[in-house]
Amino acid sequence: MHLLQVQQNCALNSTDVQSMPYQNSGMEGDRMDVGDLKQNPNDMHNIHVEVHVKSNSTAKRSDVKMHVLALLNRHRMVFGAYRWTEFDEDFLIKHVQSVAIVDAERKPIDLKSCSLSIHIFTLNDDGPSTLNLEEEELSAANHWLLPAAEFHGIWESLVYESGVKTQLLDYVSTTIYFSDKNVDSNLISWNRVVLLHGPPGTGKTSLCKALAQKLSIRLLDRYSYGQFVEINSHSLFSKWFSESGKLVTKMFQKIQQLIDDKQALVFVLIDEVESLTAARNASQAGTEPSDAIRVVNSVLTQLDQIKRYPNVVILTTSNVTEKIDLAFVDRADIKQYIGPPSVEGIFNIYLSCLEELMKCQIIYPRQQLLTMFELETMGFRESNVSELSLLLRNIAIKSKGLSGRALRKLPFLAHALFVKTPTVALERFLGAMDLAVDKQIEERDNLVNCL
């Protein structure tokens, strides 16, 4: 059971985090130190609560907070991460889209004994705009205002080995915290650069977007909004020889204009960063054009200049790290490998997909499957565990080696290819997923044999 109803007469302690000013509350909240955002693995008493307010709401933040605290007071015991999307109170029905306890372990949580960090936000419904380099008429980057509706839910959908997402949150929190404390960067160096590397399809780009979204919500006490710029690396290579380095400089001048707004937290994504930071030793050996050297030099120069500003983070991804210039790799504070998910990760991905299909009434009846942890605790004894949970575990074991992208497609393919009816029982759907995994593996092996 996810939620236990308890007495309503308990008081909650709360650390109020200032939020995006969808309307000025007229109330001074308790300011949260950026250092408090770091998760201490030995202290699980700091619980983050994200309150998604409807875009048409005119409610004051102070009123939203009061009603959310009353909701949490009514439902004081929860199990792990929990989300309310339906409410029994008129104010919440009118103004709030959801209330979510996030990034919590799967275990009972007594909210009365926790310090609550409440983050109140609205989503920006506008899609991406483009940043153009006027003289060249190039669409050099896509630009979002954060928190963005387009990025909502990505963080929760990504499943990695334990600690990866927390480490990235801690990294950005520390960069801002050190800036707040005026740590001398000549004595202790950090460059505000993150490099995520690994095979294609493991969710590196999605993780960058999700990280920016999450931090734009967590740090709304510090920055009124976030800006996310996704550079189109390939567009910065000019058809005119020797012009590409200048285009890179102009691109970063555009970004500098965003950074100059001190109310904004700016995230810059350079996807497939090897296209802009190709190893210069290859160029010098004559295997790459000399224009590539100018591009790398320009990128490194711009990174060295941009690191002086406290409100910017550079996020980069790469599938082929051996092609990246070592000077860029050295500038990356974090070089995080993002590999294919483990069996437990695959199981959790499938579990989230099944729960979504049950919620949408495509799979019936809606029922609770055991987690991998619960299966392991019971020793996988069929007499004591759900047969369907064991079947899902076996499908996850068979799926090892498939990319995260392929895993997320698999429930759709199972329904399309092997179900062929609008609704389906869970047991039959798991059989379809098993067949879909076999087909995915067969197609992958055929492609490999053709190469």
Side-chain angles (χ1 to χ4, degrees):
M1 187 174 183
H2 281 289
L3 186 63
L4 301 176
Q5 299 281 354
V6 295
Q7 292 181 351
Q8 300 183 11
N9 59 354
C10 59
L12 292 177
N13 296 321
S14 172
T15 301
D16 178 32
V17 178
Q18 297 277 348
S19 66
M20 185 174 182
Y22 58 90
Q23 178 164 326
N24 185 3
S25 67
M27 181 187 79
E28 286 292 324
D30 300 327
R31 186 173 179 81
M32 184 179 185
D33 193 292
V34 173
D36 294 337
L37 291 175
K38 293 174 69 63
Q39 295 283 358
N40 183 342
N42 298 318
D43 178 12
M44 298 308 295
H45 296 295
N46 184 28
I47 300 297
H48 291 278
V49 182
E50 295 182 357
V51 182
H52 175 194
V53 173
K54 294 179 180 180
S55 57
N56 61 351
S57 172
T58 57
K60 295 181 179 180
R61 182 182 59 81
S62 56
D63 292 337
V64 172
K65 176 193 169 186
M66 178 181 67
H67 286 273
V68 168
L69 286 173
L71 170 72
L72 299 176
N73 194 43
R74 293 194 297 273
H75 305 288
R76 198 180 72 198
M77 290 293 297
V78 296
F79 185 83
Y82 191 85
R83 180 182 300 272
W84 289 266
T85 55
E86 297 180 355
F87 306 102
D88 55 3
E89 200 250 320
D90 289 342
F91 180 92
L92 295 175
I93 293 172
K94 180 178 180 180
H95 296 286
V96 176
Q97 192 74 34
S98 66
V99 176
I101 294 171
V102 297
D103 300 333
E105 289 188 349
R106 290 181 64 93
K107 65 179 186 181
I109 301 172
D110 182 357
L111 297 178
K112 183 180 179 182
S113 63
C114 298
S115 172
L116 300 180
S117 300
I118 298 180
H119 312 272
I120 302 173
F121 67 95
T122 56
L123 292 176
N124 189 297
D125 294 322
D126 296 334
S129 58
T130 57
L131 291 181
N132 295 313
L133 303 182
E134 291 85 355
E135 311 88 77
E136 287 75 18
E137 296 184 351
L138 287 175
S139 176
N142 290 323
H143 171 236
W144 288 263
L145 287 177
L146 301 177
E150 189 172 331
F151 296 172
H152 191 54
I154 298 178
W155 180 266
E156 290 73 21
S157 73
L158 296 171
V159 178
Y160 297 109
E161 297 301 318
S162 177
V164 169
K165 295 198 288 188
T166 298
Q167 288 169 10
L168 291 172
L169 282 174
D170 287 347
Y171 162 74
V172 179
S173 299
T174 298
T175 64
I176 297 172
Y177 182 63
F178 273 37
S179 296
D180 286 350
K181 295 299 184 180
N182 296 315
V183 174
D184 189 340
S185 59
N186 292 317
L187 296 176
I188 299 177
S189 177
W190 67 99
N191 294 302
R192 307 181 183 280
V193 177
V194 174
L195 171 61
L196 304 182
H197 62 97
T202 52
K204 298 182 294 296
T205 302
S206 295
L207 181 54
C208 289
K209 293 177 178 179
L211 178 64
Q213 177 90 341
K214 178 66 68 172
L215 285 162
S216 70
I217 292 171
R218 292 277 176 92
L219 295 172
L220 280 170
D221 65 321
R222 180 64 52 87
Y223 301 102
S224 298
Y225 56 94
Q227 307 243 28
F228 187 86
V229 178
E230 182 178 19
I231 293 178
N232 182 358
S233 302
H234 300 289
S235 73
L236 297 181
F237 280 95
S238 173
K239 62 182 178 179
W240 306 111
F241 183 74
S242 80
E243 290 296 310
S244 297
K246 296 178 182 177
L247 293 181
V248 169
T249 300
K250 291 178 180 178
M251 180 70 257
F252 275 91
Q253 287 173 349
K254 288 279 188 180
I255 293 170
Q256 182 64 58
Q257 294 174 11
L258 301 179
I259 297 172
D260 288 340
D261 181 359
K262 303 307 180 185
Q263 296 299 311
L265 179 59
V266 180
F267 297 90
V268 180
L269 170 61
I270 309 176
D271 220 357
E272 298 180 7
V273 71
E274 64 272 8
S275 61
L276 287 183
T277 57
R280 285 172 292 186
N281 56 3
S283 301
Q284 292 162 353
T287 58
E288 294 287 343
S290 58
D291 196 27
I293 298 178
R294 297 185 180 92
V295 170
V296 177
N297 290 338
S298 181
V299 169
L300 297 177
T301 298
Q302 297 302 320
L303 291 179
D304 289 341
Q305 292 179 0
I306 214 170
K307 72 179 184 181
R308 297 179 290 126
Y309 297 90
N311 61 325
V312 62
V313 180
I314 308 295
L315 305 170
T316 67
T317 71
S318 177
N319 300 329
V320 283
T321 51
E322 65 272 12
K323 293 187 178 181
I324 304 177
D325 194 276
L326 289 178
F328 174 82
V329 174
D330 187 55
R331 282 167 171 79
D333 300 320
I334 287 184
K335 296 169 272 288
Q336 177 66 54
Y337 176 74
I338 306 294
S342 64
V343 171
E344 183 176 1
I346 295 170
F347 184 96
N348 289 332
I349 289 172
Y350 285 160
L351 193 60
S352 68
C353 293
L354 293 173
E355 289 173 347
E356 176 66 16
L357 292 176
M358 284 189 277
K359 185 186 78 172
C360 296
Q361 299 182 341
I362 293 174
I363 293 177
Y364 66 87
R366 191 166 187 174
Q367 55 189 288
Q368 184 78 29
L369 289 171
L370 298 175
T371 66
M372 278 287 287
F373 174 77
E374 291 164 337
L375 286 171
E376 291 169 357
T377 301
M378 296 179 179
F380 304 112
R381 294 189 299 273
E382 291 195 33
S383 58
N384 293 336
V385 299
S386 163
E387 181 181 343
L388 297 180
S389 298
L390 282 173
L391 177 56
L392 181 60
R393 172 180 174 267
N394 292 334
I395 295 171
I397 292 172
K398 183 190 291 188
S399 304
K400 187 166 174 57
L402 295 178
S403 70
R405 186 179 295 135
L407 295 171
R408 288 287 178 188
K409 289 180 182 177
L410 198 130
F412 168 81
L413 295 175
H415 189 280
L417 300 178
F418 301 106
V419 174
K420 300 181 180 180
T421 58
T423 59
V424 59
L426 176 58
E427 183 175 3
R428 181 169 167 238
F429 189 81
L430 290 174
M433 283 184 62
D434 194 46
L435 294 173
V437 172
D438 289 336
K439 184 171 178 60
Q440 284 287 294
I441 294 172
E442 178 186 356
E443 290 177 353
R444 182 192 63 188
D445 292 345
N446 289 338
L447 283 172
V448 171
N449 293 332
C450 292
L451 295 176

